């Protein structure tokens, strides 16, 4: 057995350096102004209960690029795509002449416990689609879904194909039974009905603990050990704190919708098995004929590429494309390295002519 050899002088030096970094980070935090997120100006076009439809007008209208309606997940706040001005997908799309409609699901409370997937997809999402179409003067709108919002968008397009022009899915779970889908393996052991009976709505903090448990060393110990270096200057401190603000700003989940999603998707994998019904209507992916761009992150630990790529061949899309971006689940949207790659892919997809691909 090999012995661990420690150099006392080296340890002393490292502790002194660490202590100095702590002092520097403390000074940075003392001088830091409050961290703001979601700063891009938006107009609220519609409010139904707690759900709002926001509109971000393009900087210069491009007649060749139609607007896009973004459907985000229920489990986090949608300002992740408008985190800071320099890390904002919304800003990059506006700069390319794209009008952005964004669904903000709000913060469910006890009165929302019995909202189900039918309410979210066939009522709230449907109303937002109709209103975006009227506002844009279009018969059909292009829909982009992110994570769980991508799953919702697939379901919606299968149920209401006449209302969607083209479709984009981003880091979207499709097959919930792939071998490397760790979150799905955990979800299979959840008694969703018991959880709802216990909590009513599912606390957002509880779900955050679950996500952190997927990578405990990296998201726990390593992140905390790196804090003095992360907070060593104002720019990196502001970037870190804006992300932490978003991570822990997690809405509770409406109990019935949470239970349905766990059981129908994670536990029974009904979407890819053509067994799913929402609001008494069958959800069949082969009803989707729209041009479809499926973007996934190659280093995604929450939604592995295998789950997203399972969409290929499941729809009847007239044009299906996949795009892999080297990033993690969140880094896809907030990394300065990936920002323009993602916005360019979205812009190109919205502006292309189907005739160019025949």
């Amino acid at each position: 057995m090999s012995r661990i050899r420690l150099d006392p002088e080296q340890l002393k030096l490292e502790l002194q350096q660490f202590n100095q970094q702590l002092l520097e980070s403390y000074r940075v935090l003392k001088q830091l102004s409050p961290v703001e997120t979601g700063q891009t100006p938006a107009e609220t076009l519609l409010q139904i209960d707690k759900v709002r439809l926001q509109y971000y007008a393009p900087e210069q209208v491009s007649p060749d690029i139609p607007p896009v309606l973004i459907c985000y997940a229920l489990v986090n706040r949608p300002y992740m795509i408008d985190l800071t001005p320099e890390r904002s997908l919304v800003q990059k799309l506006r700069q390319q002449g794209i009008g952005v409609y964004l669904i903000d699901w709000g913060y469910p409370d006890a009165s929302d416990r019995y909202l189900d997937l039918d309410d979210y997809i066939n009522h709230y999402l449907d109303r937002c689609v109709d209103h975006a179409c009227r506002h844009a003067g279009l018969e059909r709108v292009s829909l982009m879904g992110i994570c769980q919002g991508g799953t919702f968008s697939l379901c919606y397009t299968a149920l209401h194909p006449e209302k969607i022009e083209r479709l984009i899915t981003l880091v979207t779970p499709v097959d919930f039974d792939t071998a490397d889908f760790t979150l799905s393996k955990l979800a299979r052991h959840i008694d969703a009905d018991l959880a709802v009976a216990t909590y009513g709505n599912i606390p957002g903090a509880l779900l955050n603990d679950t996500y952190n448990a997927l990578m405990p060393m990296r998201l726990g110990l390593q992140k905390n050990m790196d804090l003095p270096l992360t907070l060593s200057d104002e720019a990196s401190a502001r970037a870190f704190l804006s992300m932490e603000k978003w991570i822990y700003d997690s809405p509770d989940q409406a109990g019935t919708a949470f239970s349905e999603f766990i059981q129908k998707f994670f536990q029974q994998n009904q979407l890819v098995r053509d067994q799913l019904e929402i609001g008494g209507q069958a959800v069949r992916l082969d009803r989707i004929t729209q041009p479809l761009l499926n973007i996934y992150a190659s280093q995604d630990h929450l939604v592995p590429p295998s789950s997203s790529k399972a969409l290929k061949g499941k729809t009847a899309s007239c044009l299906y494309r996949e795009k892999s971006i080297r990033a993690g689940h969140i880094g896809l949207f907030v990394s300065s390295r990936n920002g323009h790659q993602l916005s360019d892919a979205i812009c190109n997809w919205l502006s292309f002519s189907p005739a160019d691909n025949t």
Side-chain angles (χ1 to χ4, degrees), residues 188-207:
R188 290 173 207 164
H189 299 283
I190 294 175
D191 187 332
D193 290 335
L194 178 60
V196 172
T198 303
Y199 291 104
N201 289 340
I202 304 301
L206 179 64
L207 296 178

Side-chain angles (χ1 to χ4, degrees), residues 195-224:
V196 172
T198 303
Y199 291 104
N201 289 340
I202 304 301
L206 179 64
L207 296 178
N208 263 339
D209 291 341
T210 302
Y211 304 143
N212 288 335
L214 297 177
M215 301 180 71
M217 294 300 293
R218 179 177 172 183
L219 300 179
L221 181 62
Q222 182 179 339
K223 184 172 79 170
N224 290 326

